[in-house]
Each structure stands twice: as C-alpha cells, then as structure tokens.
Amino acid sequence: MMSLLALGAVLGFLILGFTGAPLWIWTIFAGLVLYGSGAEPLCYGILVGIFVIFGVAPIRRLLITSWVMKIMKNFLPKISPTERMALEAGDVWMESELFSGKPNFDKLMEQKYPELTAEEKAFLDGPVQKLCDMVTDWDIHQQRDIPAAAWEFVKKERFWGMIIPKEYDGLGFSALAHSAVLEKVGSRSPALCITIMVPNSLGPAELLLHYGTKEQKDHYLPRLARGEEVPCFALTEPHAGSDAGSITSSGTVFKGDDGKLYLRLNWNKRWITLAAVSTVVGLAFRLRDPDNLLGKGEDAGITCALIPASTPGVDLTRRHDPLGVPFYNCPTLGKDVVVPIDAIIGGPEKAGQGWQMLMECLAAGRGISLPAQSTASAKYMARVASNHAVVRKQFGMSIGKFEGIAEPLSRLAGYSYLMEAGRKYTLGALDSGIKPPVVTAMMKYYFTEAQRVCVNDAMDILGGAAITRGPKNLVTSAYLSTPISITVEGANILTRTLIIFGQGALRAHPYAVKEVNAVDANDLPAFDAAFFGHVGHMVRNKFRAVLLTLTRGWLVIPFKGGVTGPYYRKLAWTSAVFAILADLAMVTMGGKLKTKGKTTGRFADVLAGMYLATAALKRFEYEGRKKEDEPFLIWSLEYAFHQVQRGFDGLFANFEAPVLNLLFKYPVRWWWNLSPIGRNASDDLEFKLAELIQTPGEQRDRMTAGIFHPTNSNDPFAKMEKAFRLTISSEEVARKARRAVKKGVIKKQPAAKLYEAAVAANVITKEEFESIAESVRLNDDAIQVDSFTIADYFKTAIKQ
C-alpha cells in the first residue's frame, strides 16, 4: 500500500511541477499525501506554516521578499541610461513565447503571413524589372558607378520613397514590398541594391516619419520621395562603430546675435552610405547646452538633426572603397557647421532623444534590408549553382550527380526555403506595426552568415567559372559584398554575443525586466510579484526540461500531426531547456553574464534555432502542407535543431557555475549526445534536395521566386537558364548516344562529333539531333569564362 502511495505521490508531484501548478494546489496535494501516510499532526503544522510564509503576500514580503530585494540590489547588473534606452526600444514579440519554456503553438502559428498587393506586384514587374534590365553588375564594377540613366530612373520611379506614405508623394509600400524590391534588385547588383536600400532604412525619411515636426515632414518627405533630395545618415565614427552610443561628434547650443538659438556642430564620421552625393545629411551627435538654453541640462544627450549638405563647413569630398563594391560609402567631416535649432529632428523638444529614436528605427530596419539581400543571395546562388551543376559535365555526366556536389547544392536549396520562411514570418510582424529588436537582430546576424555559406557553396560548385571575373561571372560580386553585409548595422560578432540574448534575456523573459524595474523603483509589492512569479517559472521549467528531455518531448501534445508532429515536440522541449538554462545563467552569473560572450552567443544560437524552426513550420502550414515540399521543410527543421544541439552542447560543456558545471559537463552532456535533439540532415535527404533544385518546374521556380530574370536573351544568366532547360530536355537523347557507345555501335568522341555519329547510325533521329545540337552549343557557350586582351585588361588600371 505504501509503495503505491509513494508512486502516486511521485507522479502527482511530477504532474504538478510539469504543469506549473500554484502553491495552494501543491499544499493540498502534500496534505493528502501526509494524510494517506498517517503523518503526525506536527507535519500538518509545518505544511501550513510553509504555506503561510510563502503563500500569504504580506507575510511573505515582510519575512522573505524584503531581504531578497536588498540582496538583489547588489546582485543585479547595473543598466546605464544608454543601455536602458536600447532595452526598451521596440516591442517584445514571439521571442517571448520561445523564452517562456512552454510556447503556445496556436499563438506562434496564427501570426500574420503577408502577401503583396496588386500595386506592389505591378511595381516589381514594371519599374523594378526595368531597372534591373538597365544595368549589368559587371559594367557597374568597371565604371565604378551606377549608370546615370539608372540613377535618374531610381529617382523618377521613387525607389527612395518606398517607406514614405503616398500623402507625401511616396510609394507607401508594406515592409514585404520593400523587402521584395531589395530582394529582386539585390539578385542583379549588390551595389545598386545598397544604393536603394539605405535611404529606405535607417535614415532621414524613417526618422522624420516617426519623430519629425509637421514642417519638417512637409518640406523633406516629398522631396526625398521624388529624389530631389539625396539623403545620407552619419552615425558611425572612428571610435564608435558597433558601440554607436560612444559617439563624440558634438553640437553646442548657442544664442545668435538675432536672439535665436543655433547649433554649432563638429563631426568626424565614416562608413556613411551616399554621403558624397547627398544633399541632406542626417547627423547623430552629442548635444551640449552649456547655458541650459533648452532647459535639459548641460549634457542633453545624443541628438539627431538634418543638415543641408551645402552648409559651410560640411566636407563630403572623399569616398571609401569597400572591397571594390562601387556604391557610395564615404567619410564626412563637419567643422564649425552652424544651423538653426529647428534642424533637430522633431524640433528642440526632441533634443537628447536621438539614441532612443535610432534604437527604435533599428528595431525594424534590421529585419528588412539585409535579410532581403541575404535571402536573394541564397535563392540566386541556388539557381546559378544548380544551372551550372546540370550544364557542366565531367567524366561524361553532369557534375550535379556527384555526391560531393550534391551536399552544397542541398544546402543552397534548404537555405532558400528556410530564409524565405524567416523573411516573411518577420515581415508579418513588421507589417502589423510590431518592431521586435531581438528578432530583427537574429535576422540580421543569422541571415548574413547564411549568405556567406551560400556564396561560398556556389563558389565551390562553379570552381574556375566563379573566380574568373568578367561579364559571364555570376557570383563574384556577391562574394565581394557579403562581408559588407556582415559588418554593417552592428558587427555580427557583437550582434550575436551582446544583443540577441543580452537584450532578449531581459526583454523577452516574463519576469526578469519586471524584477529589475521593481528594484530600481524600490517597489516591494511589484518585486514580490515578479520574484515569486520567477521562482514558479523556474520550478515549472525545471520539471518540463527534465521530463521532456527524458521522453524526447513526447509528453507534449503536438500542434499538428504528420511530418511536423515530432518537430513541434522538439520546439517545446528546446524551449523548456533553454528557459531553465537561461535562468540558471542569470542567477549564477548575474551582471558578469554581460561579459560572457561565448555563453551568450550559444544562448543566441539556441534562440535563433527555435525561431527559424517556428518560421519554417509557419511557412509549411500557410502554404497548405504541400507533400512535395516536405524535404525542404525537414532539411530546414533538421538544420535549425542541429544549431540548437550545438548551442546546448557548448553550454553544457562550459557552464560557469560550481556543481552545475560538473552536472552539465558529464551526465547531462552525455545524455544529450546519446539522445540529441538535432543532427545534420541525412545523406538521403541531401540527395533529394539536390535532385529537386536541379529539376525544372513549378517547385524549383517557387523555391527561388523573387529574384531577377533578365528579359535580354543574351544576358549570361538567361543563357545559362536556357542551357539548363535544354540539357534536361535532351537528356534522353544523350542517354541513347551513351548506350550506343557502350554497345560499340559508335565510338566515344567529343559531344559535337558524337551526336553526328549517332544520327548517322540511326541511334537518334534528325529532330533529336537538332535539339541536342543546340543544347551542346549553348552548353559550350555557358561554361566558357571571360578573357581579355592585355590592352583591354589594363584599360581600367590607374595610369602612372
């Protein structure tokens, strides 16, 4: 009888812990167990005493919470005003579900999945297609500039006004359309894409829309939309790159002889896109007000202003050379530049609020521009590399049939699916008015890093065709520009190690930021509610983490069955383990966690793995759970959970806490390696994806949708596409010829001669010969690489 009671007690407590039952239910259950075991009355008294101390709020605050709060004041990390502005910028979104330890699948899957309007599609099919047809990336590189006609077309068609509402003569596009334009242009020319990207990202238009005065909006926004003003935004400096809050550029408030207030500005900025051709400079600087003329103290803080480029003292005469990619990226200097106080964006009342403005705008912008360019790169590289893999033949067959080529091809195909899923899932939030900085930071970091992998894979597959520069080379420009994407909008290393988890641990956690705010405000009731809510949160997640790990998530009822069921379970399992580990890291390391970049980076990898898995599942659900797309979905999920596994493995092996480090490093890590949550995709799955991306048809087109396809049939990409299609369609004819060679009917010889012999020997028909002859001709042309005369090669050299 006692053994059954003990078993029931254990099962009951496991259920209570797993479900996160409140203290009063634990107390009642414990009382029933005591009753069943015939406990002494003293045991009931102890139980009631525990409940009174921990369950009655006034008593708990007096005996426990007040002391804990005193300790926490010394333990919690100190948050500077600048850090607080960054933490409070933007919104908390689905990352909070992933942080919770118990994600709500209905909530994750009901998020908006946007679609383009008819007007937006028409712009992509019209002006965007025309602009891409106007340029070639080779010519842009050779001339070191975008053609004048393209510059004028960009202005005329209001490419710089995508985010500006129609009431100000802008296009008023959604975030999805903004992203789609950059995706298509980016697949044609990185330099052209960046030129369009930056004015629609962090810059004067974005800041004016959210913070400008009516007069500033009425004056600047229509002129920016129509291209009459060319904007730039000067933020980074020699000593303030990723740490933009350390800017030293200064502005001093003074009263002029006319009695009006002015700013005297001095700055030294670098890496400012479009600066040398700009007509208006957005400027971030630290505002000094020695006479307190604005009533905000001597050091008013970081401020943003708009400076006409023609203002005396503004120097825009120099230009950087970012890896030879010919977009305008420049330094700019300002010496004793004087402008009216109304140059401050939002007017004098917005003085000192520049850092908050910038952080809020970055909270959205990081999720649009660079993820669009990176997704375009993945799709374009998948298309180019698969074309080449079919057309290029070695040892008598297309190189795409080699296992060594199938592996990088499968990655290109898988990334194309996964990145498009992440892109649209995030844009759904942005188009709903949500600005989630943690999510957009993940998008920027993981997408630009994925772009690096995709470009390198394409380079490997194309081999010599990828390293020989010229009009036929379809990948070198992306190879050169990839490090630029990785560096801008916050260097990737710091984004991963400082922002994603560092910001997310406070913002997305259900209780952490409440605890910090309550301690700062010395609010005991608020701290009591947050702290003991946090304790209950940890107890529940500890039970969930252990039980879901032991059962591989099978205690969770999946959101959907079929192929996705196990992955919903894995998502719940990951969230529970992530949540308890994050809490343990914050409890044991406290403020030191900010400096533990390897630890926070691993947490970021796990969080990103969960987010990407969520996005892939959402795409599959939204698109109708297509059976033929399952290989792409499964590769995406296996990839995401493999990143989770790697992150956890690093955390378990290096957890910096006494006792816990031994527990995690040996038994826990051993169990996770024995029963991993994720592995690399299987060889069979990789072969399947490689086959699908090399198969012409609706699915291949859908997986690479959104990139530019030239209308000029002589364009190298168009030629390669045609060669790809003809190679596939003539494969049966080629097989007939190969079989005839094996039987000795005709001799093995070069392709052109082989098919002549085959038609002469009646192995193939005359019509088949004409079809495959064109394929041979196109294939031969497609695999050629560029060469130059010595004179032509030196035409663009600097003359001595």
Side-chain angles (χ1 to χ4, degrees):
M1 181 70 179
M2 288 301 295
S3 61
L4 288 175
L5 178 64
L7 178 61
V10 170
L11 287 175
F13 283 124
L14 288 175
I15 292 170
L16 292 179
F18 188 82
T19 57
L23 180 62
W24 65 270
I25 293 182
W26 283 86
T27 305
I28 292 172
F29 184 78
L32 293 173
V33 172
L34 291 176
Y35 178 78
S37 61
E40 297 292 328
L42 178 62
C43 296
Y44 293 101
I46 293 172
L47 181 63
V48 171
I50 292 171
F51 176 77
V52 169
I53 292 172
F54 287 94
V56 180
I59 296 174
R60 181 178 67 229
R61 291 171 194 161
L62 177 66
L63 298 179
I64 299 174
T65 312
S66 58
W67 294 98
V68 174
M69 188 171 174
K70 290 178 182 177
I71 295 170
M72 294 288 274
K73 284 181 179 180
N74 297 319
F75 183 75
L76 286 174
K78 303 299 180 185
I79 301 175
S80 69
T82 301
E83 288 177 314
R84 183 169 290 280
M85 284 185 190
L87 283 171
E88 293 175 354
D91 306 300
V92 177
W93 185 50
M94 289 300 99
E95 69 273 27
S96 63
E97 287 296 320
L98 303 177
F99 254 93
S100 71
K102 190 180 179 182
N104 183 328
F105 295 136
D106 287 309
K107 191 173 181 181
L108 290 172
M109 292 298 115
E110 72 185 9
Q111 298 305 306
K112 178 180 178 180
Y113 208 69
E115 295 292 347
L116 296 169
T117 66
E119 180 186 7
E120 291 167 343
K121 290 177 182 177
F123 189 80
L124 284 164
D125 294 339
V128 178
Q129 180 72 26
K130 185 174 180 180
L131 175 64
C132 292
D133 274 324
M134 291 172 70
V135 302
T136 70
D137 198 61
W138 172 252
D139 287 340
I140 290 174
H141 272 260
Q142 290 302 97
Q143 300 302 320
R144 299 177 72 84
D145 198 0
I146 296 164
W151 274 106
E152 290 306 312
F153 190 80
V154 165
K155 296 176 181 180
K156 174 177 173 290
E157 295 296 333
R158 308 189 185 190
F159 278 81
W160 288 339
M162 286 191 286
I163 66 170
I164 297 175
K166 291 181 178 180
E167 63 188 280
Y168 294 108
D169 287 348
L171 296 175
F173 279 173
S174 64
L176 176 65
H178 176 184
S179 172
V181 171
L182 296 177
E183 186 180 31
K184 189 166 183 173
V185 176
S187 66
R188 182 55 162 176
S189 168
L192 181 59
C193 179
I194 294 168
T195 300
I196 294 170
M197 174 195 302
V198 173
N200 287 287
S201 184
L202 177 64
E206 178 82 359
L207 292 167
L208 285 168
L209 279 171
H210 296 291
Y211 313 107
T213 64
K214 183 179 185 304
E215 293 76 12
Q216 288 171 338
K217 291 178 180 179
D218 290 344
H219 174 76
Y220 277 112
L221 288 177
R223 296 170 64 82
L224 289 168
R226 296 191 296 261
E228 295 166 9
E229 297 276 10
V230 180
C232 73
F233 191 81
L235 175 60
T236 50
E237 301 175 1
H239 298 288
S242 293
D243 182 16
S246 297
I247 60 177
T248 59
S249 297
S250 65
T252 303
V253 182
F254 69 95
K255 184 174 289 188
D257 295 337
D258 57 3
K260 297 179 180 178
L261 297 184
Y262 292 88
L263 295 173
R264 179 175 287 106
L265 300 160
N266 288 276
W267 69 83
N268 176 16
K269 302 285 188 178
R270 65 181 179 185
W271 300 318
I272 312 305
T273 300
L274 291 180
V277 292
S278 66
T279 61
V280 59
V281 179
L283 183 72
F285 59 94
R286 190 168 293 279
L287 181 63
R288 310 289 181 186
D289 187 2
D291 299 321
N292 198 23
L293 298 170
L294 299 179
K296 297 191 175 189
E298 183 178 344
D299 183 0
I302 294 173
T303 302
C304 296
L306 294 178
I307 317 300
S310 59
T311 306
V314 176
D315 184 353
L316 302 173
T317 58
R318 300 188 66 80
R319 181 173 178 176
H320 300 306
D321 186 1
L323 292 175
V325 181
F327 67 99
Y328 279 91
N329 186 254
C330 321
T332 171
L333 300 173
K335 184 173 178 56
D336 293 330
V337 178
V338 176
V339 294
I341 196 72
D342 290 340
I344 294 174
I345 296 176
E349 58 270 27
K350 292 291 184 182
Q353 298 183 31
W355 185 242
Q356 183 177 356
M357 294 178 185
L358 295 170
M359 290 301 98
E360 289 178 351
C361 289
L362 272 173
R366 279 195 182 109
I368 300 175
S369 301
L370 293 175
Q373 189 179 31
S374 299
T375 304
S377 189
K379 294 176 182 178
Y380 178 73
M381 293 301 155
R383 197 88 183 191
V384 168
S386 58
N387 285 344
H388 183 87
V390 167
V391 170
R392 178 67 167 161
K393 296 188 177 183
Q394 296 283 274
F395 310 108
M397 66 179 185
S398 296
I399 64 170
K401 297 186 183 297
F402 299 167
E403 290 190 2
I405 300 294
E407 182 180 354
L409 268 181
S410 70
R411 275 196 297 268
L412 289 168
Y415 271 125
S416 296
Y417 183 89
L418 179 58
M419 293 170 74
E420 176 68 1
R423 183 182 78 93
K424 291 194 73 174
Y425 191 63
T426 305
L427 292 170
L430 298 176
D431 274 331
S432 298
I434 301 166
K435 297 180 179 180
V438 174
V439 166
T440 57
M442 281 194 291
M443 290 289 289
K444 189 273 175 179
Y445 172 80
Y446 291 96
F447 275 43
T448 55
E449 290 296 336
Q451 178 184 4
R452 179 168 13 207
V453 174
C454 291
V455 171
N456 283 336
D457 279 340
M459 292 287 291
D460 288 347
I461 292 169
L462 270 70
I467 64 169
T468 308
R469 294 186 67 236
K472 289 179 178 289
N473 190 311
L474 300 174
V475 299
T476 295
S477 182
Y479 182 80
L480 291 173
S481 64
T482 293
I484 299 170
S485 300
I486 285 167
T487 302
V488 300
E489 288 189 10
N492 269 7
I493 290 173
L494 295 181
T495 300
R496 174 176 175 263
T497 58
L498 290 180
I499 297 177
I500 296 171
F501 181 73
Q503 189 170 354
L506 283 178
R507 286 298 303 278
H509 193 285
Y511 298 104
V513 74
K514 295 177 183 177
E515 290 170 317
V516 171
N517 289 338
V519 169
D520 284 349
N522 202 32
D523 187 338
L524 182 61
F527 179 77
D528 177 76
F531 179 76
F532 281 96
H534 196 163
V535 170
H537 174 78
M538 289 185 68
V539 170
R540 185 198 70 184
N541 286 330
K542 182 178 180 180
F543 276 90
R544 286 179 63 83
V546 172
L547 293 174
L548 291 176
T549 298
L550 292 175
T551 63
R552 294 190 59 80
W554 279 91
L555 294 179
V556 174
I557 299 174
F559 177 74
K560 291 286 181 72
V563 69
T564 60
Y567 296 103
Y568 282 109
R569 292 189 177 98
K570 284 187 177 185
L571 190 56
W573 171 16
T574 302
S575 178
V577 177
F578 174 85
I580 192 63
L581 284 180
D583 276 323
L584 290 174
M586 288 189 282
V587 168
T588 58
M589 298 182 204
K592 294 180 181 178
L593 189 58
K594 289 201 298 184
T595 66
K596 300 295 181 182
K598 296 191 79 171
T599 296
T600 56
R602 289 165 181 143
F603 274 117
D605 292 343
V606 176
L607 181 60
M610 288 193 286
Y611 183 76
L612 291 174
T614 300
L617 288 165
K618 172 65 178 181
R619 177 178 182 178
F620 188 68
E621 302 291 353
Y622 180 82
E623 294 180 351
R625 298 175 67 90
K626 291 184 171 71
K627 181 73 175 176
E628 66 268 24
D629 287 353
E630 286 183 4
F632 290 91
L633 171 72
I634 294 171
W635 185 95
S636 299
L637 294 170
E638 292 294 335
Y639 168 84
F641 285 109
H642 183 59
Q643 304 314 301
V644 167
Q645 177 71 27
R646 289 177 58 192
F648 279 148
D649 191 57
L651 288 170
F652 292 142
N654 300 281
F655 205 86
E656 297 186 24
V659 182
L660 284 176
N661 58 359
L662 294 176
L663 175 66
F664 289 152
K665 194 170 186 177
Y666 296 107
V668 173
R669 191 180 179 203
W670 172 84
W671 177 260
W672 270 79
N673 288 329
L674 182 67
S675 179
I677 200 167
R679 292 188 175 94
N680 272 325
S682 67
D683 289 352
D684 286 344
L685 181 58
E686 288 184 344
F687 296 152
K688 183 62 176 177
L689 256 67
E691 176 190 350
L692 291 173
I693 204 64
Q694 294 178 88
T695 303
E698 181 271 341
Q699 187 180 35
R700 180 176 188 259
D701 292 342
R702 185 159 44 83
M703 294 302 157
T704 57
I707 63 172
F708 168 69
H709 289 267
T711 56
N712 180 1
S713 60
N714 290 319
D715 185 276
F717 181 60
K719 284 185 174 182
M720 181 63 83
E721 285 273 297
K722 186 174 182 181
F724 165 81
R725 293 191 298 271
L726 284 175
T727 301
I728 297 291
S729 63
S730 61
E731 183 56 32
E732 180 56 35
V733 180
R735 273 195 291 268
K736 289 181 181 180
R738 289 198 297 270
R739 286 196 293 264
V741 170
K742 286 183 179 180
K743 293 177 181 178
V745 176
I746 54 178
K747 293 180 180 180
K748 185 178 180 179
Q749 50 197 302
K753 297 293 183 182
L754 177 67
Y755 298 119
E756 288 178 1
V759 74
N762 291 321
V763 172
I764 61 176
T765 66
K766 185 176 180 181
E767 290 77 15
E768 288 174 327
F769 170 76
E770 290 174 354
S771 171
I772 203 163
E774 184 182 9
S775 174
V776 170
R777 179 183 61 78
L778 278 172
N779 282 21
D780 185 64
D781 179 69
I783 65 171
Q784 299 302 317
V785 297
D786 296 288
S787 61
F788 308 91
T789 66
I790 300 299
D792 284 342
Y793 181 79
F794 283 110
K795 274 184 179 178
T796 58
I798 298 174
K799 301 299 185 291
Q800 300 297 322

